[in-house]
């Protein structure tokens, strides 16, 4: 079956999704070669999956309305979670479903308040272990018949107002240095420019920071040898080649570069970067309502950020705005 990625729908799993998730789990694990000892995944039922969802959470994927994938997120402690029953239906494998689900699961686990995730991978599946390592997971410790892989989760904040969004940006600026790239994503009016205004204030740059939609990019100088801010709007750009035409390489090393609407386009600017996704979580869908709460997911990519504790850097805001409830 030739599934289209455009037909893919990924959502937080509900109890009603449990039967479809079991269908995916049975099909996926049933299609694997025989294992010794065998996997217990084929013993899962709708009731057992519903119980796991009640204790933690999960991600469910459909393609054209058909069950396509599932991930169960289970708590190991207040800060540590595990991914279980990670499955893609054989009809929809190798169409990007697994990667999209993992991205969603990482973000959702962070929203639930976890700081780190670990999972068990069977040693027989080298390709599967490589898949997880490509997504930032590293070997933690060996286990019988496999290995535990783990990674830190993105930093999740629930930001209630536009003023708070600027404050988060200002705090974030304190850990930014020349050469850093920030890719900000989110729907129209989500707060990308408001966050950038906070970064600008924290860097102490000059000039009014507004959406550069028609100019595409603006350079805001900073005094005293501090990094300049290069503010880019990639909304009207079709691909990375068009971004290259802006000649951002000329300013990259001495500036902090913030690219709005940059997901899927700006990742090539730097191997080390911050990817920030802003999602409106309040009840209002009006893009002109600045004080509708937002969830901000900050993913640190690359070696540059391994030693940076974003949770501590954002300190007060993590403690104040974190409102996830695992029930």
């Amino acid at each position: 079956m030739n599934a289209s990625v455009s037909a893919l729908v990924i959502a937080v799993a509900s109890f009603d999704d449990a039967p479809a998730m079991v269908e995916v789990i049975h099909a996926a694990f049933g299609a694997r070669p025989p294992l010794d000892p065998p996997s217990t995944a084929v013993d899962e039922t709708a009731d057992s999956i519903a119980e796991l969802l009640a204790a933690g959470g999960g991600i469910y994927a459909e393609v054209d309305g058909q069950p396509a994938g599932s991930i169960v997120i289970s708590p190991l402690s207040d800060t540590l979670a595990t991914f279980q029953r990670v499955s893609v239906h054989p009809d929809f494998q190798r169409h990007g479903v697994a990667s999209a689900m993992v991205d969603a699961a990482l973000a959702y686990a962070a929203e639930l308040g976890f700081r780190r995730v670990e999972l068990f991978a069977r040693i027989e599946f080298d390709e599967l272990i490589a898949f997880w390592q490509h997504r930032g997971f590293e070997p933690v410790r060996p286990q019988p018949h496999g290995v535990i892989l783990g990674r830190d989760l993105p930093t999740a904040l629930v930001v209630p107002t536009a003023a708070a969004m600027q404050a988060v940006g200002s705090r974030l600026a304190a850990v930014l240095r020349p050469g850093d790239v920030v890719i900000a994503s989110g729907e129209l009016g989500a707060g990308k420019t408001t966050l950038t205004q906070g970064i600008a204030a924290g860097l102490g740059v000059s000039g009014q920071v507004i959406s550069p939609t028609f100019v595409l990019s603006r350079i805001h100088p900073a005094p005293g040898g501090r990094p300049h801010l290069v503010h880019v709007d990639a909304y009207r750009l079709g691909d990375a080649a068009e971004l290259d035409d802006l000649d951002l390489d000329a300013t990259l090393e001495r500036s902090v570069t913030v690219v709005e609407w940059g997901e899927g386009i700006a990742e090539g600017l730097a191997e080390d970067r911050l990817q920030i996704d802003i999602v409106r979580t309040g009840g209002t869908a009006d893009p002109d309502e600045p004080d509708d709460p937002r969830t901000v997911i900050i993913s640190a990519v690359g070696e540059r950020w391994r030693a940076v504790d974003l949770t501590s850097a954002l300190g007060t805001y993590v403690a104040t705005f974190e409102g996830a409830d695992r029930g």
Side-chain angles (χ1 to χ4, degrees), residues 157-197:
L157 313 173
V158 178
V159 183
T161 65
M165 185 71 78
Q166 288 196 2
V168 169
S170 181
R171 281 289 186 96
L172 192 60
V175 299
L176 294 173
R177 66 189 189 194
D180 283 341
V181 171
V182 178
I183 299 175
S185 303
E187 64 184 5
L188 185 67
K192 299 179 295 295
T193 300
T194 303
L195 178 72
T196 306
Q197 289 169 344

Side-chain angles (χ1 to χ4, degrees), residues 9-299:
V9 176
I10 293 178
V12 172
S14 69
F15 296 146
D16 291 339
D17 296 322
M21 293 174 71
V22 170
E23 178 183 338
V24 172
I25 292 167
H26 287 181
F29 281 85
R32 292 181 175 182
L35 298 173
D36 183 20
S39 170
T40 59
V42 294
D43 298 327
E44 295 287 8
T45 66
D47 287 342
S48 67
I49 292 299
E51 289 177 5
L52 291 174
L53 293 177
I59 295 295
Y60 172 61
E62 291 184 339
V63 173
D64 282 333
Q66 299 300 310
S70 72
I71 297 177
V72 173
I73 304 169
S74 297
L76 297 177
S77 72
D78 287 344
T79 59
L80 178 64
T82 185
F83 288 171
Q84 298 178 282
R85 306 314 191 205
V86 180
S87 311
V88 176
H89 196 287
D91 289 345
F92 303 107
Q93 290 178 0
R94 301 191 181 281
H95 292 286
V97 176
S99 295
M101 281 201 310
V102 169
D103 288 344
L106 291 170
Y108 184 48
E111 288 185 57
L112 289 174
F114 296 111
R115 296 282 184 253
R116 186 172 172 81
V117 63
E118 294 182 352
L119 57 88
F120 172 75
R122 292 289 292 242
I123 199 67
E124 297 95 331
F125 300 123
D126 291 343
E127 184 178 353
L128 185 59
I129 293 174
F131 168 88
W132 289 111
Q133 290 180 314
H134 185 65
R135 281 149 190 83
F137 284 77
E138 298 179 342
V140 176
R141 58 189 176 276
Q143 290 280 290
H145 313 294
V147 60
I148 298 294
L149 303 171
R151 60 158 286 175
D152 292 336
L153 287 168
T155 300
L157 313 173
V158 178
V159 183
T161 65
M165 185 71 78
Q166 288 196 2
V168 169
S170 181
R171 281 289 186 96
L172 192 60
V175 299
L176 294 173
R177 66 189 189 194
D180 283 341
V181 171
V182 178
I183 299 175
S185 303
E187 64 184 5
L188 185 67
K192 299 179 295 295
T193 300
T194 303
L195 178 72
T196 306
Q197 289 169 344
I199 293 173
L203 293 175
V205 304
S206 60
Q208 184 180 11
V209 175
I210 59 175
S211 177
T213 300
F214 297 103
V215 179
L216 295 185
S217 68
R218 287 190 176 92
I219 300 176
H220 298 273
R226 303 181 70 183
H228 301 327
L229 172 66
V230 177
H231 185 199
V232 183
D233 192 319
Y235 180 74
R236 298 178 184 275
L237 301 181
D239 53 32
E242 292 185 20
L243 185 69
D244 289 342
D245 292 340
L246 298 181
D247 198 25
L248 297 176
D249 288 343
T251 58
L252 204 59
E253 290 187 2
R254 65 178 186 274
S255 305
V256 170
T257 303
V258 178
V259 186
E260 297 186 24
W261 301 98
E263 185 177 12
I265 293 177
E267 288 84 356
L269 287 175
E271 291 184 3
D272 303 315
R273 59 189 180 273
L274 291 181
Q275 296 184 182
I276 301 179
D277 191 22
I278 305 174
V279 180
R280 191 186 303 274
T281 50
T284 303
D286 183 1
D288 296 324
E289 176 49 67
D291 286 341
D292 200 20
R294 272 78 162 161
T295 297
V296 179
I297 306 293
I298 306 175
S299 300

